[in-house]
Structure formats: C-alpha cells, structure tokens
C-alpha cells in the first residue's frame, strides 16, 4: 500500500538557506549572530503597557477580520502625515505580521499555474509563498548602475508570459538596502499598468532610510514632519483605482518582531476580498496587540529617530571596514539594516558562510538564499549592537582576506 505524498506545490518550496545555516549556529556556543533581520533593541515600554492594559480591560475577544477600526484610522492618519496621501480606513487590512500580509495578498491574486515576476535578490519568503500556492516565481535580477542597483526593464519584459499576474519588489530592500527612487517607482508602476499586472510592494523598512541621491532623497512632499528620513512610497504615485498592494509592518519600525502585527493598503475591493479570506487563515491579528500598535503609532516618533541614527552609525562602521578589504564590492545601502557585499572568487556563498560560522563563530546569511543574482554575496545584518558588530566585523574581514575556496 502506497502512502499519501505531500502536495507537489509544497515539495517545490526549498528549505530556507538562512534557516539551515541558523540551525547549525543554534548548536554552537559563543556565536556572533548577524544572520537574522532583527534588531536587539527592545520593544518600547509604552507598547508593552498598552497591550497589558488592553488585556486587563478585556480586549481579548474577536476583532473584525479587517482589524480594529481604531487601528485602521491610526494607520490612515500616519500615512497622511508621512506621505501626504489620503487613505480611507476601508483601504487598510490589518494582519498578523508582514509575512501574513504578503501571504494573504499573494493568495488574493495568484492561482495555480500563474506566474509572478520577483525583483531579485529579494527576501526569499515572497518567492516561496508564490510557489506554495502552485504558481511560479520568475526571479529577475536587478541590474547594477554604478554603486547602486536598479530594476532591469528589458529583463522584466523577457520574463513576461501570458500567465504573468503579479510583480513583486521590496523598497527599501532586504537584502540589498536598495531603495527605489521616485523615477524607478514610476517605471515599475507604468510597467504593471501596461501589462495588466498586480503590483505588490514591500515597504516594511520605509522608516529605516538614510537618504539617497536625486529623487530618492528626502520625503518628497511629505505633509508634515516625521522623525528622520522617509523612503519614497508608491502610494504617492498610484491612483486609488490602481492594482497596487502595499505591505507594511510594525516589526522593524517599532521593534515588535515577536508581536506579529502588520498591515496592507490597497483599493477597497481588494481589501474587502482580503478581509473575507483572512477569516479562513488567521481570522484577525490578536486584538490586544492591535491596541499596542495604536500606542506605537501614537508615541513612537522620537524612538524611531534615535534608532535610525544608531543604525546609520553601525552601517557606516561595518561598510567602512568591508571597503578596506581587497576583493569586496559593496553597493551603497540606502535603507533597511543590511549589507550585501559581493566577494570576488566566491561561487558557493552557503559554503563560505558555513566555513565562516564554523571557523570564526560568526553567522551571516548566504547570498544564494535570496534568489537570482545573490550568489557570490553574503548578507550582514548590522542591527545588533556594537558589542556584537565590532568583533564580528573584525572576524569577517580577517576571514575574507584569508579564505581559499
């Protein structure tokens, strides 16, 4: 008698190479961890207090599938303040983290047999979700333009097929730190419109931005002050009728990775469908944690400014050390909290990262984990404190100089 097998769509999803290396690191002692995209800064006390108070006050029951109306109003007001864009709360869907928001968004627009273009290197979860739903992720590597990346329009055109339904990208990018300029966003929006595609953009790192050149710099017409720089948002360019979905999260901006709270913005018919499907996936984000999200928005601005200033100092320290090492090519990271250096002569970034871990007790993520265009690079997360970064970068630089593949 034959045993039932896994679904073919599940079998197609590869093991995360980030997680595979991290599992090795978990079995070792005294490892300096730079492999995960997570800050060591604690969740602010006003968020913790708000969640505790909400639980005491009885915010422990079901909320609407779309999320608490009060949180959706707070997010709409935040978007208006940051981007000078008026969003109706009916255009906002609350989710259990950015991962669940991406999952739900993709589920709403992708069927088995469909295809999606993914600008790469990119955080692997997007491509994996597409494959999980029985569709095909077509990863299109970003082109190099001097010291930064840029979308390769010709390669995107070649990747199109009659089955293409979706274009997915992240800005600021994990792992590249690349942040789309307004001109690049306009090009991506025009491409999606021309070819009848949904445009799904991950803007989770929009507040962790250090400014760029030309149109990427500054806030470009923000209605009022925010703390520090602000990455451009596609919301300023698209109409309310465009097939555009913007995913965001409390995880990185407010140091709430473990709380699992995020949101997405799209036109009302999409959000209505997303809320309906959310019932069958997770129902809704935990009610008391949604109240914590309201507190984060209300009180978080000063902490964001201090955090980003700290991250920029760490970025400059780590980048400065790497640029002194022969054979290292490091594009300028404009946002997020990652470096993605390309290493001359490295053809197997997973083996390099494993050797680095075993010999120097420093954990990084292999570039191959991030899809096409990532091989030969490693991702370094500089969100941990300097007590970790300083010894870790010394070991990484020493290892690169002495490494023989």
């Amino acid at each position: 008698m034959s045993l039932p097998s896994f679904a073919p769509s599940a079998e197609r999803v590869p093991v995360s190479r980030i997680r595979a290396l991290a599992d090795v690191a978990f079995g070792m002692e005294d490892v300096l961890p730079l492999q995960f995209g997570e800050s060591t800064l604690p969740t602010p006390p006003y968020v913790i207090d708000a969640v505790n108070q909400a639980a005491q006050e009885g915010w422990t029951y079901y909320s609407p599938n779309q999320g608490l109306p009060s949180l959706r109003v707070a997010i709409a007001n935040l978007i208006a303040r940051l981007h000078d864009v008026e969003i109706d709360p009916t255009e906002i869907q609350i989710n259990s983290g950015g991962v669940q928001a991406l999952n739900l968004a993709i589920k709403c627009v992708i069927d088995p047999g469909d295809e999606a273009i993914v600008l790469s290197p990119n955080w692997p979860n997007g491509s994996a979700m597409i494959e999980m739903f029985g569709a095909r992720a077509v990863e299109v590597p970003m082109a190099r333009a001097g010291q930064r990346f840029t979308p390769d329009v010709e390669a995107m055109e070649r990747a199109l097929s009659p089955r293409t339904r979706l274009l997915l990208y992240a800005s600021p990018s994990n792992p590249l730190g690349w942040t789309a300029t307004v001109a690049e966003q306009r090009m991506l929006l025009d491409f999606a419109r021309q070819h009848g595609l949904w445009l799904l953009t991950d803007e989770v790192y929009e507040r962790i931005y250090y400014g760029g050149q030309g149109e990427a710099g500054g806030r470009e017409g923000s209605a009022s002050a925010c703390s520090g720089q602000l990455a451009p948002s596609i919301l300023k360019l698209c109409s309310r009728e465009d097939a555009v979905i913007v995913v965001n999260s409390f995880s990185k901006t407010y140091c709430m990775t473990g709380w699992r709270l995020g949101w997405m913005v799209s036109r009302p018919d999409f959000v209505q469908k997303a809320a309906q499907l959310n019932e069958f996936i997770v129902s809704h984000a935990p009610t008391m944690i949604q109240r914590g999200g309201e507190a984060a928005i209300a009180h978080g601005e000063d902490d964001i400014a201090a955090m980003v200033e700290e991250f920029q100092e760490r970025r400059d320290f780590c980048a400065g050390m790497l640029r002194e090492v022969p054979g290292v090519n490091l594009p300028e990271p404009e946002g997020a909290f990652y470096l993605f250096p390309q290493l001359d002569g490295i053809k197997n970034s997973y083996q390099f990262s494993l050797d680095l871990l075993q010999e120097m007790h420093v954990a990084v993520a292999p570039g191959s984990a991030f899809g096409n265009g990532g091989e030969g690079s490693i991702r370094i997360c500089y969100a941990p404190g300097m007590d970790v970064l300083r010894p870790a970068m010394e070991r990484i630089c020493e290892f690169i100089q002495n490494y023989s593949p």
Side-chain angles (χ1 to χ4, degrees):
M1 182 179 67
S2 62
L3 295 175
S5 61
F6 294 117
S9 57
E11 292 282 18
R12 285 200 304 271
V13 178
V15 173
S16 166
R17 307 213 88 187
I18 305 171
R19 179 61 62 174
L21 190 133
D23 287 343
V24 177
F26 289 148
M28 300 172 58
E29 295 182 357
D30 302 322
V31 171
L32 299 175
L34 307 183
Q35 76 274 33
F36 288 138
E38 185 172 47
S39 165
T40 53
L41 297 172
T43 299
Y46 46 80
V47 174
I48 298 172
D49 292 344
V51 173
N52 286 338
Q53 182 177 348
Q56 293 292 332
E57 292 176 352
W59 293 85
T60 57
Y61 299 98
Y62 291 131
S63 88
N65 297 138
Q66 196 175 343
L68 291 175
S70 54
L71 178 56
R72 289 187 279 119
V73 168
I75 292 171
N77 291 338
L78 177 69
I79 293 170
R81 178 166 58 83
L82 297 181
H83 297 294
D84 194 19
V85 175
E86 296 298 325
I87 298 293
D88 191 277
T90 60
E91 299 174 299
I92 296 170
Q93 165 69 45
I94 307 301
N95 298 95
S96 294
V99 174
Q100 198 253 322
L102 277 173
N103 192 290
L104 180 58
I106 292 168
K107 183 61 179 173
C108 284
V109 301
I110 286 290
D111 260 340
D114 288 340
E115 294 182 359
I117 294 174
V118 180
L119 298 192
S120 177
N122 195 28
W123 185 50
N125 291 38
S127 293
M129 291 172 192
I130 292 164
E131 298 284 341
M132 281 173 61
F133 294 134
R136 178 171 172 252
V138 182
E139 295 180 340
V140 177
M142 300 275 279
R144 291 291 290 271
Q147 278 302 302
R148 68 185 303 275
F149 292 88
T150 192
D152 188 335
V153 183
E154 293 183 358
M156 291 163 57
E157 292 278 0
R158 292 193 298 270
L160 286 168
S161 85
R163 294 182 175 275
T164 307
R165 292 268 298 161
L166 172 70
L167 171 59
L168 168 64
Y169 77 97
S171 173
S173 163
N174 171 11
L176 302 177
W178 165 78
T179 302
T181 65
V182 174
E184 288 169 334
Q185 288 185 331
R186 187 174 290 114
M187 180 273 293
L188 292 168
L189 179 59
D190 289 344
F191 182 90
R193 286 169 172 167
Q194 178 185 353
H195 297 289
L197 307 180
W198 285 91
L199 181 62
L200 174 55
T201 174
D202 175 348
E203 296 187 356
V204 164
Y205 292 94
E206 69 168 356
R207 304 300 300 275
I208 305 174
Y209 178 65
Y210 315 108
Q213 298 179 357
E215 290 180 289
R219 295 195 296 273
E220 210 233 2
S222 175
S224 59
C226 68
S227 299
Q229 300 264 17
L230 176 67
S233 173
I234 196 73
L235 291 173
K236 285 189 70 69
L237 299 179
C238 65
S239 74
R240 301 276 58 83
E241 289 75 39
D242 274 316
V244 171
I245 311 160
V246 176
V247 167
N248 215 314
S249 171
F250 288 83
S251 291
K252 315 299 181 179
T253 299
Y254 301 104
C255 302
M256 292 175 63
T257 51
W259 297 82
R260 310 316 303 140
L261 188 64
W263 74 89
M264 56 185 173
V265 179
S266 190
R267 64 194 196 193
D269 63 328
F270 173 88
V271 172
Q272 183 179 5
K273 177 57 66 175
Q276 176 196 349
L277 297 189
N278 208 37
E279 166 66 21
F280 309 109
I281 300 172
V282 69
S283 294
H284 59 84
T287 309
M288 74 285 290
I289 293 176
Q290 293 186 60
R291 297 288 289 173
E294 294 176 32
I297 292 173
H299 305 293
E301 286 300 317
D302 288 344
D303 286 337
I304 294 170
M307 175 184 69
V308 173
E309 183 177 354
E310 206 167 314
F311 284 159
Q312 184 161 5
E313 292 175 359
R314 297 174 188 179
R315 177 198 70 160
D316 293 345
F317 167 77
C318 296
M321 289 195 66
L322 283 171
R323 288 187 172 122
E324 295 295 321
V325 179
V328 174
N329 184 356
L330 179 63
E332 185 67 26
E334 300 153 343
F337 40 56
Y338 308 102
L339 301 177
F340 201 66
Q342 187 176 45
L343 311 179
D344 286 354
I346 301 302
K347 300 190 186 316
N348 186 335
S349 57
Y350 182 82
Q351 188 61 53
F352 174 90
S353 301
L354 184 61
D355 292 343
L356 172 66
L357 173 63
Q358 293 175 333
E359 295 184 31
M360 307 299 280
H361 284 226
V362 178
V364 299
S368 58
F370 301 94
N372 287 347
E375 187 55 276
S377 298
I378 57 173
R379 189 193 71 176
I380 298 169
C381 177
Y382 54 83
M386 289 300 296
D387 59 326
V388 172
L389 288 177
R390 194 178 302 277
M393 291 308 301
E394 289 173 353
R395 296 182 198 180
I396 290 171
C397 292
E398 177 187 346
F399 187 76
I400 293 172
Q401 292 183 80
N402 298 324
Y403 188 70
S404 297

